[in-house]
Amino acid sequence: MTADPATLDVTIVDGYVDEPAHFGVPPYISTYPRYTAGGLVDAGVPQSQITYHTIDALREDRSLWRDVAGADLVVYVGGMTVPGKYVGGTPAEPDEVRQIAWRADGTTLLGGPVRFGVGESNEGAVETERDDLDYDFVAKGDVEAAAHDLVREGLEGFGDRMRDNEEIARWARQGAFVVEQHPNHPDYLIAEMETSRGCAYRCSFCTEPLYGNPAFRSADSVVDEVDALSDHGVRDFRLGRQADILAFGGDGEAPNPDALRELYSGIREVAPHLRTLHLDNMNPVTITDYPEKSREGIRIIAEHNTAGDTAAFGLESADPVVQEENNLLVTAEECLEAVRVVNEVAGWRPGPDGDRETAPNFGDGAARRLPKLLPGINLVHGLAGERRETFEHNREFLQRVYDEGLMLRRVNIRQVMAFEGTEMNETGAEIAHDHKKLFKHYKREVREEIDNPMLQRVAPSGTILPDVHLEYHEDGKTFGRQLGTYPLLVAVPGERTLGKTVDVAITDHGYRSVTGVPYPLDVNAASMDELTAVPGVGKSTAGDIVVGRPYDSVEEVGADLAAFATAESAEGAD
């Protein structure tokens, strides 16, 4: 590399990240490429000489590889420390990451959670190992700090240091411009926001404690970043980069409602036209240890967020033996109490004006929207001490939640990945492999007996999902999702134009997905498939409706369609 940062051409490649407290698979963009770009600008590289590509963009357009080959510096960011299944993008596999290093003629730098290790593939029940993947430099600390130091000071300045919050306060604003180079910008892109990182606790399998104790950003810093991203066209945000949102602005354990109020109200002030404001992690033990402050914090969040939000609870296992052997924080009984609290305080459905007063929670009069904020449950299998009874404990816990009439937005069941630096490194994936068949049977039971009826409770037929982004076609249907935390996969009859958005009214339920029709459904233009999808309308009735068109009012058609449809005369229909 040249000694003058002002003459450098830099390419950042985003291979995507999935960590316990950080997500960056499209439509999400993680903090890593944004902060890295900011660190480069702070070191003297002009914005105009920083190029950003996702791994999917490189796959789809081979001509973009010229930006890898010709750059003075190529920075790869990525890494999966929890397994998942993804719709919006496909994380880079190790061989693809190596190919980037091989194709680059300039200096190469590798960073992100990939530094914790890689497996043969991005899935559960695997053991990982450290691997430099043929890069010149590997950031064992923060990749954004490594990129900054390498550019500013050369080889002598490279190290494994961690950046601090003062640097992030600058870099977050300076690097916000790269969102405009994301293929999903501006309409289908949600920015993952960091409020803190690190964790005060030490669960056996989790990589988040490897970042140290919690280091909280100021509310002003986060709000300023939202402001900068808004200036670059972002309207969707998730406060997902933290171990526990309730602990924001505190000592890492106790809630600080005043800090949460400053954070959320500040975001609303600088981004008054935002479409999505969601979160991810919330520690259930915080709710049981600090019930009154937690209730107030949850109330503040539900006052400012957008509907359909999810607070992921890391129960991990309801088996007391597994809890003890893996330093898990919360018992099944404590987690159940935390579920009750979030349902009670934040499980209301916003009315037409977005407020609670016009939105009864239950019964026929409830608003037809997703609840404001519900808990999600994370369960991890293959942990030390796992036995056949573990699966029964988990099933019983989920059944208790359902039998009490409570709501869960989703249940995430996965098998552990073992990383060096965590206690699970000693256990590895052996237990997960031994229990693979048992795990598959149990997971199917949960999907059938809990997920499906729970989804009907959370999103009953007639629930309206605004702004569903249409992503792909399959079996004569169009599938899409809203932007947000763990959005529902929605199937709409027919093959519609991809890349568009449509409001959808739910008509049927799968295990973790729903079927719906465009809302409002114009009965004078609706297809047979759309009409048949409406509950209570079979093929025969749908045929009669088609024959009888046009209609001047929904009442002419029948009560079954009233909640879903609008009717216009043939002359007035679009």
Side-chain angles (χ1 to χ4, degrees):
M1 290 191 302
T2 177
D4 183 2
T7 64
L8 287 179
D9 286 317
V10 183
T11 295
I12 300 171
V13 178
D14 188 351
Y16 312 144
V17 301
D18 192 353
E19 300 182 83
H22 198 176
F23 191 57
V25 180
Y28 283 83
I29 181 170
S30 74
T31 67
Y32 289 111
R34 291 156 26 211
Y35 293 176
T36 298
L40 291 166
V41 170
D42 199 39
V45 181
Q47 285 188 17
S48 60
Q49 289 164 215
I50 299 174
T51 300
Y52 166 80
H53 291 311
T54 66
I55 187 65
D56 281 316
L58 292 179
R59 291 172 179 138
E60 294 168 11
D61 185 352
R62 302 301 295 181
S63 70
L64 298 180
W65 282 89
R66 65 177 180 269
D67 296 326
V68 173
D72 298 302
L73 172 63
V74 174
V75 184
Y76 173 83
V77 295
M80 323 298 287
T81 62
V82 294
K85 293 183 178 179
Y86 311 101
V87 175
T90 303
E93 294 287 352
D95 285 347
E96 292 180 303
V97 183
R98 288 190 181 91
Q99 186 180 11
I100 293 167
W102 296 340
R103 292 286 296 274
D105 293 331
T107 303
T108 55
L109 170 63
L110 175 81
V114 67
R115 69 187 175 91
F116 295 130
V118 296
E120 293 182 0
S121 59
N122 300 319
E123 60 184 18
V126 299
E127 297 174 1
T128 65
E129 62 180 7
R130 300 274 176 87
D131 192 335
D132 66 9
L133 298 172
D134 298 336
Y135 280 69
D136 298 323
F137 296 93
V138 177
K140 299 288 182 16
D142 284 319
V143 63
E144 52 266 43
H148 171 273
D149 296 349
L150 189 59
V151 166
R152 187 163 189 164
E153 302 175 36
L155 180 60
E156 295 77 12
F158 179 79
D160 295 329
R161 75 177 181 91
M162 309 295 280
R163 42 78 170 176
D164 58 38
N165 283 334
E166 288 186 4
E167 289 175 311
I168 289 306
R170 301 195 308 272
W171 297 351
R173 173 168 281 280
Q174 291 171 312
F177 73 94
V178 298
V179 299
E180 296 190 23
Q181 299 182 43
H182 195 288
N184 288 27
H185 181 273
D187 294 325
Y188 196 34
L189 186 66
I190 182 167
E192 183 85 324
M193 305 298 298
E194 176 180 320
T195 68
S196 70
R197 64 173 184 175
C199 186
Y201 306 103
R202 297 292 184 270
C203 299
S204 68
F205 63 93
C206 187
T207 56
E208 191 60 24
L210 300 180
Y211 290 104
N213 290 323
F216 294 97
R217 296 174 67 188
S218 69
D220 286 345
S221 174
V222 180
V223 170
D224 185 62
E225 182 178 0
V226 170
D227 189 29
L229 289 166
S230 297
D231 290 343
H232 290 283
V234 177
R235 295 176 59 196
D236 303 275
F237 305 90
R238 186 177 83 153
L239 305 176
R241 182 55 174 120
Q242 73 271 314
D244 181 9
I245 187 63
L246 288 179
F248 176 75
D251 60 3
E253 297 183 24
N256 184 340
D258 289 339
L260 284 170
R261 185 178 294 106
E262 182 181 0
L263 174 66
Y264 272 86
S265 64
I267 290 172
R268 281 294 193 171
E269 183 175 349
V270 299
H273 303 298
L274 63 77
R275 291 176 299 205
T276 307
L277 180 55
H278 280 186
L279 61 90
D280 190 9
N281 297 301
M282 183 182 291
N283 198 329
V285 78
T286 304
I287 298 173
T288 56
D289 285 353
Y290 306 95
E292 293 309 314
K293 286 186 175 182
S294 293
R295 282 176 176 270
E296 178 62 9
I298 293 166
R299 186 197 66 76
I300 290 167
I301 292 170
E303 177 185 349
H304 292 90
N305 72 347
T306 55
D309 201 357
T310 306
F313 281 2
L315 172 60
E316 321 305 0
S317 179
D319 183 349
V321 172
V322 177
Q323 291 167 2
E324 177 69 24
E325 291 199 27
N326 294 275
N327 305 316
L328 304 184
L329 300 176
V330 64
T331 67
E333 198 61 45
E334 288 170 331
C335 190
L336 182 59
E337 175 57 24
V339 170
R340 295 184 186 114
V341 170
V342 175
N343 270 257
E344 177 186 340
V345 178
W348 51 277
R349 301 174 189 269
D353 299 323
D355 59 15
R356 187 169 187 166
E357 284 66 31
T358 61
N361 293 337
F362 307 104
D364 294 336
R368 296 168 61 194
R369 293 293 189 271
L370 291 175
K372 260 308 189 89
L373 175 67
L374 291 178
I377 298 295
N378 294 339
L379 296 170
V380 179
H381 285 273
L383 298 176
E386 183 175 282
R387 53 204 175 128
R388 181 173 292 274
E389 290 91 333
T390 302
F391 296 88
E392 294 301 322
H393 280 289
N394 288 349
R395 265 194 297 256
E396 288 172 6
F397 169 80
L398 295 172
Q399 191 65 53
R400 286 185 66 190
V401 172
Y402 184 79
D403 290 346
E404 282 198 23
L406 299 168
M407 292 185 288
L408 296 175
R409 173 56 192 81
R410 69 98 177 90
V411 179
N412 186 17
I413 302 172
R414 62 184 176 88
Q415 289 187 296
V416 72
M417 298 177 75
F419 287 89
E420 185 178 336
T422 68
E423 291 182 20
M424 270 305 297
N425 191 51
E426 298 179 8
T427 304
E430 182 178 348
I431 294 174
H433 287 303
D434 289 345
H435 293 170
K436 197 83 171 182
K437 184 179 293 187
L438 185 61
F439 173 78
K440 289 183 177 179
H441 177 74
Y442 143 88
K443 189 173 182 178
R444 184 173 63 252
E445 282 189 341
V446 170
R447 298 297 181 231
E448 294 172 353
E449 298 173 12
I450 300 296
D451 282 350
N452 179 264
M454 182 65 76
L455 188 53
Q456 294 182 51
R457 177 179 293 171
V458 171
S461 293
T463 299
I464 299 166
L465 304 178
D467 297 324
V468 174
H469 293 256
L470 303 178
E471 294 184 283
Y472 65 95
H473 297 137
E474 187 176 294
D475 298 330
K477 299 177 182 178
T478 305
F479 288 81
R481 298 174 297 169
Q482 294 176 296
L483 281 171
T485 299
Y486 311 110
L488 288 170
L489 184 63
V490 184
V492 180
E495 293 193 353
R496 295 178 164 267
T497 303
L498 301 182
K500 302 292 186 181
T501 61
V502 60
D503 294 349
V504 172
I506 294 175
T507 60
D508 200 5
H509 305 79
Y511 299 150
R512 308 184 78 185
S513 62
V514 295
T515 299
V517 294
Y519 177 82
L521 184 65
D522 181 359
V523 295
N524 287 327
S527 69
M528 278 286 292
D529 286 341
E530 289 171 341
L531 293 169
T532 305
V534 175
V537 180
K539 286 187 176 181
S540 176
T541 301
D544 292 341
I545 292 171
V546 170
V547 170
R549 294 193 295 207
Y551 301 94
D552 293 323
S553 69
V554 175
E555 287 71 26
E556 291 182 47
V557 186
D560 288 329
L561 277 168
F564 296 86
T566 182
E568 300 178 358
S569 66
E571 291 77 17
D574 290 335

